[in-house]
Amino acid sequence: MSSPAVMPASPPAAVPVWRRVLVYGVFALFAAWCIKAFWHDIAQIDLTPLKTGWMAVLAAGALSLFNYALRVWRWRLYLNKLGHTFSLRFVALTFMSGFAFTLSPGKLGEMVRARYYQPKGLSVAATSGAFFIERLLDLLVMILLASAALVDIQAYRSFLWVAVALVGSLLASVAIMPWARIDQAMGAIPVGKVRQVVKAMAHMFVSARQFLTPGMLVAGLLLGMVSWGAEAVGLKLVADVVGVQPLSVSAAMGIYAVAIIVGALSFLPGGLGSTEAVMAALLFAHGYTMPQAILLTLVCRLLTLWLAVLIGWLCVWALRGEA
């Protein structure tokens, strides 16, 4: 349940006009970047081969929506773990508002959702801890999905090992390091940027440690496996319409997961360029012609990345009065 509200001693100060202009200006610039990148992708798609398979495309889009629904459910579990119970509508809108900033490096822009929780008593540190575990589990899910087609992705095995090492070291760091003591020790250090960064990291990892219980880890991992696996199945459905031979579910999962991992490790905005290049190359290696591989890659990104960005901006608009 939400912690009891503390009555403020005085009314909160109004948000300065310049700050509102700055926030909405940043939002507008990022929206313009999203539109420019989207048109670059959509202009390359020749939808002729999909005319007879539009039902498969709709099904793939529905699976993407299913992915978002399961991840909203998982996020609500995390908020409940933090001691805050919000309405499903509010959780869904705030979670998916982060999708508007998916094109930020490492998807760190999705932390914009924290601004909606602060007025309701949930600190940025607590939100960042939940976000950190969510991102880490998603990377672990991608590793597990990619292992389904390990034999077919020898050329990208090094990326998997880097991802495994990254997830393992970060989980160990959260679980083993005495972050609460480190936070206390920072109190004896003069105020400065280093102290601020270390304290922010310590607060985040202390919050993240709450989600390392077996029950929370298993629940988060299972929901992630089903949700991201659904998007991979969507790739298979569209691929079966375009290609002569059907694409196996394991191959679709491996292709999708490896492409996402490479995109994440590239730290490019939304993995743009790197994700598409790897996905097209893997589809080509599975017997698709290069035009077919490019078509499948762009349709997949349209139904996953760009659908999420569109929904994210709609949610940002719906929440315009919440922060």
Side-chain angles (χ1 to χ4, degrees):
M1 298 295 292
S2 298
S3 55
V6 178
M7 294 300 294
S10 59
V15 178
V17 174
W18 68 266
R19 184 175 298 177
R20 287 187 176 273
V21 172
L22 177 62
V23 170
Y24 288 116
V26 171
F27 280 13
L29 287 174
F30 206 87
W33 157 247
C34 291
I35 293 171
K36 181 179 181 296
F38 170 75
W39 281 115
H40 177 268
D41 274 1
I42 200 70
Q44 302 179 61
I45 299 180
D46 177 11
L47 300 179
T48 304
L50 297 177
K51 286 183 178 179
T52 59
W54 59 272
M55 285 295 292
V57 176
L58 289 179
L63 287 171
S64 291
L65 296 177
F66 179 65
N67 167 286
Y68 309 152
L70 287 185
R71 290 164 61 198
V72 166
W73 184 15
R74 182 177 63 178
W75 184 248
R76 197 182 192 195
L77 290 177
Y78 289 170
L79 294 179
N80 289 344
K81 181 69 175 179
L82 291 172
H84 292 260
T85 301
F86 301 114
S87 69
L88 180 58
R89 176 184 179 277
F90 181 73
V91 173
L93 288 175
T94 51
F95 177 80
M96 291 189 294
S97 68
F99 293 171
F101 300 90
T102 293
L103 294 187
S104 58
K107 297 187 177 182
L108 295 179
E110 290 190 15
M111 262 299 291
V112 71
R113 69 185 72 154
R115 70 193 293 265
Y116 301 113
Y117 300 124
Q118 273 188 289
K120 298 183 182 298
L122 188 57
S123 68
V124 173
T127 305
S128 65
F131 177 78
F132 176 80
I133 291 297
E134 180 206 13
R135 294 283 85 204
L136 208 56
L137 285 184
D138 282 346
L139 184 55
L140 180 56
V141 165
M142 290 303 172
I143 294 171
L144 294 174
L145 292 178
S147 66
L150 198 58
V151 176
D152 300 323
I153 54 175
Q154 299 291 333
Y156 299 94
R157 183 172 289 186
S158 59
F159 287 99
L160 291 186
W161 284 119
V162 170
V164 169
L166 180 62
V167 171
S169 60
L170 288 175
L171 281 175
S173 174
V174 174
I176 298 173
M177 292 289 289
W179 292 108
R181 293 181 183 178
I182 293 174
D183 182 29
Q184 293 176 356
M186 286 297 103
I189 298 178
V191 176
K193 290 185 178 180
V194 174
R195 179 191 177 194
Q196 291 177 347
V197 171
V198 175
K199 282 184 70 68
M201 288 181 58
H203 288 165
M204 180 180 73
F205 288 141
V206 167
S207 173
R209 186 171 291 178
Q210 303 175 64
F211 305 101
L212 295 185
T213 60
M216 291 299 294
L217 279 176
V218 171
L221 197 59
L222 288 178
L223 287 171
M225 288 287 289
V226 176
S227 60
W228 290 110
E231 288 200 345
V233 172
L235 172 61
K236 173 199 163 36
L237 294 177
V238 180
D240 288 351
V241 172
V242 173
V244 177
Q245 297 295 329
L247 184 68
S248 68
V249 173
S250 62
M253 287 184 175
I255 291 170
Y256 183 76
V258 170
I260 295 299
I261 289 172
V262 174
L265 294 180
S266 72
F267 217 69
L268 292 171
L272 285 175
S274 56
T275 298
E276 288 85 354
V278 172
M279 187 177 293
L282 288 172
L283 286 167
F284 180 74
H286 278 76
Y288 292 87
T289 65
M290 188 51 69
Q292 289 175 335
I294 293 174
L295 171 64
L296 286 173
T297 298
L298 295 177
V299 170
C300 179
R301 295 290 270 170
L302 181 65
L303 297 175
T304 54
L305 173 67
W306 294 114
L307 177 61
V309 170
L310 173 61
I311 291 174
W313 282 111
L314 291 175
C315 291
V316 168
W317 175 257
L319 290 165
R320 62 192 182 280
E322 293 286 345

